[in-house]
Amino acid sequence: MTALPLASRVQLRRLAVSSTLYLAVALAALIGVFTALEPEAFGSAYNVRTVLTGASILLVMAVGATFVIATAGIDLSVGAVLVFSGVVAVKVMDAFGGSGWGAVGAGFVTALAAGCGWGLLNGLLVTRARVPALIATLGTMGMALGLAQVITGGNDLGGVPGELVTTVGQGRLFGTVPWLVVAAVAVTAVAAFALAKTRFGRYTLTIGSNHEAARRSGVRVDRHVLKVYALAGLLAGFAGFLSLARFASTTIAGHGTDNLQAITAVVLGGTSLFGGVATVIGTVIGVFIPAVLQNGFVILGVKPFWQQVAIGAVLVAAVYLDQLRRRARQQH
Amino acid sequence: MIRCLYKGVQVPAEPSGGRTPVLRASGIVKSFGHVEALREAAFEVYPGEITALIGDNGAGKSTLVKVLSGVMQPDGGTIEVDGSPVQFGSPQDAAGHGIGTVYQDLALAPDLSPAANFFIGRELLRPGLLGRLGWLDAGAMNRRTAEELQRLGVELKDLNAPVASLSGGQRQSVAICRAVAWAERVVFMDEPTAALGVVQTERVMRLITRVREQGVAVVLISHNMPQVIELADRVQVLRLGSRVATYERGQADEHLLVAAMTGAVNQEVR
């Protein structure tokens, strides 16, 4: 029906995927440079595992943030929700005796429910109360972290069941792939499919692109946005559970910049802060560019603080390019 | 000329040869606070015709269109589709009666493809379990979109490119084809050429004519009098919330239309 010359079709495809492609190339180049400079240290199985494991928890949160940002929203609360979910999960696992798979199961459900609860609150504040997402999630960030500290008195809780730590936290599938990585990959794969191929993803992008058009066409915009924030919260709760497994502690003070790291990853990955354009694979790349840079700098003996400088500059450049692209196509 | 497609409905004595309007509004009242936007406004659309709705700014055109397309609910009056009274609680209700709208802002999602835009809120899912999981049938949606565009003679280079990469006229065409794809009776078009250049305007005007040829009635809201005279089979003039004049093709020139819009002529003195 649309018989197009192959050349022009390929060209258009290339344009459409270009930003993701550039990023993938950039990431591959980073990996290539570090591997060439320090093949032993950087390319070792141990180091690869370290990078992947280190990034997996952030990746779970960043996947949730991808959906939120795709609707032109923002969620600053993810790190705090992670901590809160971990804290209540430990409390519940304690109540179930502090060990055994029963306790772990209860903790898992609790972490997911707590995360989902905060996400729903975010969604209700944004859609019903019409509080701008930036402020609504800034507020719930404070509340979630504050409540976690109220519950714990400000001191990290240990007492994570050993079963959880030795399996999910430190175990590996087939003795090679850490379970944390497996979990993150599973979440990412399902989310990538959902965003690109399902009605849920299509609504997410449509609302981000033009919520008024979606509303006029009968899409229940508020309900969908509520679901998206709930999903982001749910994934933050899941990340909280993974964090417990990994560190055997609630790590209350360790997640102050998770929200910004997640947003950085999403935006680096080519998802537009203005909504409507988003890919999960881009977010994966966006998570790993800072992670690889950090790891590589440490191995090369470059002061790791330079990683922050580099990422800050790249982030600004990425958004600038997005702006240029938008301006260019408005001039038709 | 045009067959009466809708038999067995009582036909009121009308100057239009006894046909039943596909859409008819009478006595429509709508107030916003103390402002009466519509005062017992009447309006008829006949099948297979382009009906122009004109009036000065503030005459109530937009409000009338919003009422007739389900965006707004009137305070009083009746709306009939093919002679049967109806009530529109939402644009979806109106769409259910085969009535669609091309909004002035087009209501397109600029980051999505034409096919995705065609199916906003009506996404096709794959059959079976996959569909129940919400898996989109992108192939079917692309095919249907290509068919609709072809039926109305609109050519696009790539159905997968975002709408934002299209020209203004192409975007307008996508919005019109989308509305026609879902509305078998009436399509409202609010200033469809206001933002376009000469060539693009010409193209969109041809498209509007082709929509009529497909048997879908068009309601054209326009400030462009030569365009109205060229396209419209019937012109209805609103002034201060009421219809003041109706002309069939050839009955009115630009001066007469302006006279009716400004109050110098009034056919329907109450």
Side-chain angles (χ1 to χ4, degrees):
Chain A
M1 231 138 290
T2 47
L4 271 174
L6 186 66
S8 79
R9 195 170 241 190
V10 169
Q11 206 178 0
L12 284 161
R13 284 277 156 69
R14 198 175 295 151
L15 270 174
V17 298
S18 61
S19 64
T20 313
L21 199 67
Y22 287 140
L23 281 160
V25 169
L27 179 57
L30 275 181
I31 293 171
V33 168
F34 288 135
T35 312
L37 291 175
E38 290 283 344
E40 303 281 292
F42 186 79
S44 71
Y46 169 77
N47 191 52
V48 170
R49 247 191 324 259
T50 306
V51 173
L52 290 177
T53 310
S56 55
I57 291 171
L58 177 64
L59 179 58
V60 170
M61 278 185 284
V63 163
T66 308
F67 282 80
V68 171
I69 294 176
T71 67
I74 200 90
D75 186 354
L76 296 178
S77 71
V78 285
V81 170
L82 177 155
V83 169
F84 179 90
S85 304
V87 165
V88 292
V90 169
K91 282 285 180 194
V92 167
M93 289 193 284
D94 242 13
F96 273 77
S99 68
W101 285 108
V104 170
F108 181 66
V109 173
T110 305
L112 292 189
C116 193
W118 283 108
L120 280 172
L121 179 60
N122 283 335
L124 288 172
L125 287 173
V126 170
T127 60
R128 299 273 184 274
R130 300 279 162 207
V131 179
L134 189 76
I135 300 303
T137 60
L138 187 64
T140 53
M141 176 181 94
M143 288 188 271
L145 194 59
L147 281 175
Q149 284 166 329
V150 168
I151 293 170
T152 60
N155 302 314
D156 274 318
L157 301 177
V160 178
E163 292 89 342
L164 177 61
V165 178
T166 52
T167 55
V168 179
Q170 291 158 3
R172 297 179 199 157
L173 176 65
F174 307 131
T176 45
V177 189
W179 281 109
L180 287 169
V181 176
V182 174
V185 167
V187 165
T188 305
V190 171
F193 173 77
L195 183 59
K197 298 288 179 196
T198 70
R199 184 159 58 188
F200 184 86
R202 181 59 60 80
Y203 280 180
T204 303
L205 293 171
T206 307
I207 289 168
S209 190
N210 186 347
H211 65 91
E212 185 59 25
R215 196 185 61 75
R216 287 193 211 149
S217 298
V219 177
R220 293 158 92 169
V221 172
D222 281 352
R223 215 177 59 161
H224 189 81
V225 171
L226 181 65
K227 283 186 202 166
V228 167
Y229 279 94
L231 173 69
L234 182 81
L235 289 176
F238 184 55
F241 186 74
L242 294 181
S243 176
L244 284 184
R246 183 173 179 212
F247 299 110
S249 160
T250 48
T251 58
I252 292 173
H255 298 276
T257 62
D258 280 10
N259 49 7
L260 300 182
Q261 288 183 47
I263 294 164
T264 302
V266 172
V267 173
L268 269 184
T271 292
S272 170
L273 274 174
F274 307 98
V277 181
T279 61
V280 171
I281 185 68
T283 297
V284 174
I285 299 169
V287 165
F288 278 104
I289 286 179
V292 167
L293 212 52
Q294 170 97 38
N295 178 261
F297 281 179
V298 169
I299 288 175
L300 291 180
V302 179
K303 283 203 182 98
F305 310 118
W306 280 108
Q307 183 258 12
Q308 296 177 37
V309 179
I311 289 307
V314 173
L315 179 66
V316 173
V319 174
Y320 175 65
L321 287 176
D322 181 41
Q323 288 280 33
L324 278 188
R325 199 165 48 89
R326 283 173 175 268
R327 244 177 286 159
R329 68 177 202 195
Q330 298 303 341
Q331 280 165 4
H332 262 292
Chain B
M1 229 175 73
I2 293 139
R3 288 182 304 129
C4 178
L5 294 165
Y6 308 100
K7 291 169 189 154
V9 183
Q10 59 176 21
V11 178
E14 288 284 339
S16 53
R19 291 178 300 132
T20 305
V22 60
L23 178 66
R24 175 202 195 100
S26 46
I28 301 290
V29 178
K30 180 75 189 178
S31 302
F32 303 98
H34 296 296
V35 181
E36 285 184 289
L38 294 175
R39 309 175 190 189
E40 305 206 5
F43 189 68
E44 289 103 31
V45 183
Y46 288 91
E49 285 191 0
I50 296 174
T51 304
L53 174 60
I54 65 171
D56 206 351
N57 291 337
K61 301 187 299 281
S62 313
T63 310
L64 183 59
V65 170
K66 282 177 181 159
V67 165
L68 293 180
S69 57
V71 175
M72 249 177 214
Q73 283 68 54
D75 300 332
T78 54
I79 303 173
E80 293 166 31
V81 172
D82 287 341
S84 322
V86 292
Q87 281 189 335
F88 298 149
S90 70
Q92 282 65 52
D93 284 354
H97 285 92
I99 295 166
T101 307
V102 181
Y103 296 95
Q104 192 167 6
D105 66 8
L106 305 187
L108 295 169
D111 303 293
L112 303 187
S113 68
N117 269 287
F118 260 63
F119 286 89
I120 294 176
R122 299 178 164 105
E123 288 80 4
L124 300 181
L125 300 179
R126 294 190 176 215
L129 181 67
L130 298 174
R132 215 143 335 134
L133 290 172
W135 196 340
L136 297 170
D137 193 341
M141 289 193 279
N142 275 340
R143 277 194 301 279
R144 290 268 296 274
T145 304
E147 280 166 19
E148 282 298 326
L149 290 170
Q150 201 185 34
R151 189 162 72 95
L152 290 165
V154 175
E155 283 178 26
L156 295 181
K157 268 186 288 176
D158 186 354
L159 279 179
N160 293 312
V163 162
S165 68
L166 303 176
S167 71
Q170 286 174 324
R171 266 180 256 174
Q172 185 75 50
S173 301
V174 168
I176 290 174
C177 293
R178 175 178 67 175
V180 173
W182 303 111
E184 70 271 21
R185 286 199 171 95
V186 183
V187 171
F188 287 89
M189 298 188 194
D190 194 355
E191 297 282 1
T193 61
L196 302 180
V198 178
V199 178
Q200 309 246 8
T201 297
E202 198 58 41
R203 264 190 215 140
V204 169
M205 282 170 70
R206 278 207 300 276
L207 175 59
I208 294 170
T209 316
R210 279 197 295 273
V211 171
R212 174 182 58 188
E213 286 162 6
Q214 299 286 327
V216 178
V218 176
V219 177
L220 177 68
I221 295 98
S222 178
H223 276 108
N224 182 335
M225 289 307 129
Q227 186 180 82
V228 164
I229 289 165
E230 183 183 338
L231 285 177
D233 301 298
R234 182 182 307 276
V235 183
Q236 310 196 31
V237 187
L238 271 190
R239 184 174 138 72
L240 302 177
S242 306
R243 183 172 64 188
V244 292
T246 301
Y247 302 105
E248 295 197 27
R249 184 184 282 281
Q251 285 181 342
D253 60 9
E254 212 167 316
H255 293 293
L256 188 52
L257 293 182
V258 172
M261 279 165 61
T262 53
V265 172
N266 193 339
Q267 291 180 335
E268 304 191 7
V269 183
R270 287 186 293 143

